[in-house]
Amino acid sequence: MDWNESPAQKLILPDLAGKTAVVTGTSHGIGKAVAKALLENGSRVFGLARSAGDLKQDGFMHCPCDLGDAAAIDRVFRTIEKEVSSLDFVVNVAGTDPKYSIDTITVGDWDRLVNLNLRGYYFVIKNALPLLRLGTGKSIVNVSSINYRLGVPGRAPYSATKAGIIGLTTGLSRELGRENIRINTISPGWTFTERQVQEYFSGEDETKHLEYLEHQQSIKLKITPEDIANHILFYLSAVSRASTAHNCVVDGGWILE
């Protein structure tokens, strides 16, 4: 069986229309796919990222922000507060995945990684809460990864942040649930973002990595950012109203969870 490389079907959920969302990491990859999917569903999107990227659609506002800087997160939400009186959704996607040997990593390396991949998630949620409490959607989705389950050499610091995201989600679920604010996690497997394709699925190593992926996944699907975005939309929409604190694994049947 050949690899399934067909595009993900577009998911249209009527209750997303007219809503307002904050999405981080919208300059590329999963964050960009989430922003586009929300815009196609009639939502307004504030995209928090260092660079603007090429997403230019009605209803989208790029908000420059270094998400590893807690003060910058605070400042960008002061800007958002001038634009809208409420928020419905928050989607934390932005992150980085460097490899660090335990013998070579520095305190600065660790702090930069944790500040972006984990601390940034928490302070985006904290700053969004005053507006989210006034919205009607009241849903948060955090993007983690299956990587913390895999034990990849050099990925321990990255894996720690991704495991921490799941702990952050469950840790906030009852606290926010008292206000009917839901919070869930999506944990993707190997996703064919622009950067992953460039680094792993092009050139002389493409065959090796595809063979490895074929061995790991249960289905021979090249998971796209749009596949992940569809799962995120489900957890934002009221169709998943009974779900909070979930960790939804989207990995083509890799870890079989």
Side-chain angles (χ1 to χ4, degrees):
M1 181 177 66
D2 292 331
W3 282 95
N4 183 349
E5 300 185 56
S6 61
Q9 294 186 23
K10 290 186 178 181
L11 180 62
I12 301 299
L13 295 166
D15 69 311
L16 301 183
K19 297 294 197 294
T20 303
V22 163
V23 182
T24 72
T26 51
S27 58
H28 60 273
I30 293 170
K32 178 180 176 181
V34 172
K36 289 180 67 176
L38 282 167
L39 291 165
E40 289 167 355
N41 272 271
S43 296
R44 182 180 184 183
V45 178
F46 292 93
L48 277 55
R50 283 184 179 178
S51 59
D54 61 1
L55 182 55
K56 302 185 189 306
Q57 290 181 223
D58 290 343
F60 178 76
M61 179 176 174
H62 168 61
C63 301
C65 184
D66 177 359
L67 291 154
D69 181 347
I73 294 171
D74 182 78
R75 287 194 299 271
V76 81
F77 272 93
R78 303 295 79 78
T79 299
I80 293 170
E81 288 171 353
K82 295 176 183 177
E83 296 289 331
V84 292
S85 58
S86 64
L87 285 173
D88 298 291
F89 309 131
V90 174
V91 185
N92 276 309
V93 184
T96 185
D97 62 348
K99 282 187 177 182
Y100 292 121
S101 162
I102 195 169
D103 293 316
T104 61
I105 189 171
T106 67
V107 172
D109 293 332
W110 174 272
D111 287 347
R112 282 187 293 274
L113 181 61
V114 173
N115 289 351
L116 174 60
N117 283 19
L118 183 56
R119 190 184 72 174
Y121 279 43
Y122 186 85
F123 283 98
V124 165
I125 294 169
K126 175 180 171 61
N127 279 276
L129 270 177
L131 292 174
L132 198 62
R133 288 174 173 133
L134 299 173
T136 57
K138 299 184 186 296
S139 183
I140 302 165
V141 175
N142 295 324
V143 175
S144 179
S145 168
I146 66 168
N147 196 276
Y148 80 99
R149 298 281 300 273
L150 305 181
V152 179
R155 295 279 196 216
Y158 169 72
S159 295
T161 65
K162 291 302 180 179
I165 289 166
I166 295 172
L168 177 65
T169 298
T170 56
L172 286 173
S173 60
R174 293 190 191 277
E175 184 176 350
L176 299 182
R178 298 188 185 106
E179 302 180 69
N180 290 318
I181 298 171
R182 298 185 299 115
I183 182 167
N184 292 286
T185 302
I186 302 294
S187 291
W190 210 341
T191 305
F192 283 65
T193 62
E194 305 96 319
R195 188 171 64 80
Q196 294 295 315
V197 170
Q198 182 180 7
E199 291 187 12
Y200 297 101
F201 298 105
S202 59
E204 59 185 18
D205 288 333
E206 177 182 8
T207 299
K208 178 183 72 174
H209 290 130
L210 283 174
E211 288 175 350
Y212 173 75
L213 192 61
E214 181 178 9
H215 176 73
Q216 299 298 327
Q217 287 188 184
S218 298
I219 54 177
K220 208 171 176 183
L221 170 69
K222 291 184 177 180
I223 299 171
T224 68
E226 291 73 24
D227 288 308
I228 308 303
N230 279 346
H231 287 77
I232 291 171
L233 292 191
F234 169 76
Y235 280 101
L236 293 179
S237 167
V239 299
S240 64
R241 66 180 188 171
S243 297
T244 196
H246 279 197
N247 177 30
C248 177
V249 176
V250 188
D251 66 352
W254 184 322
I255 62 173
L256 301 180
E257 178 180 293

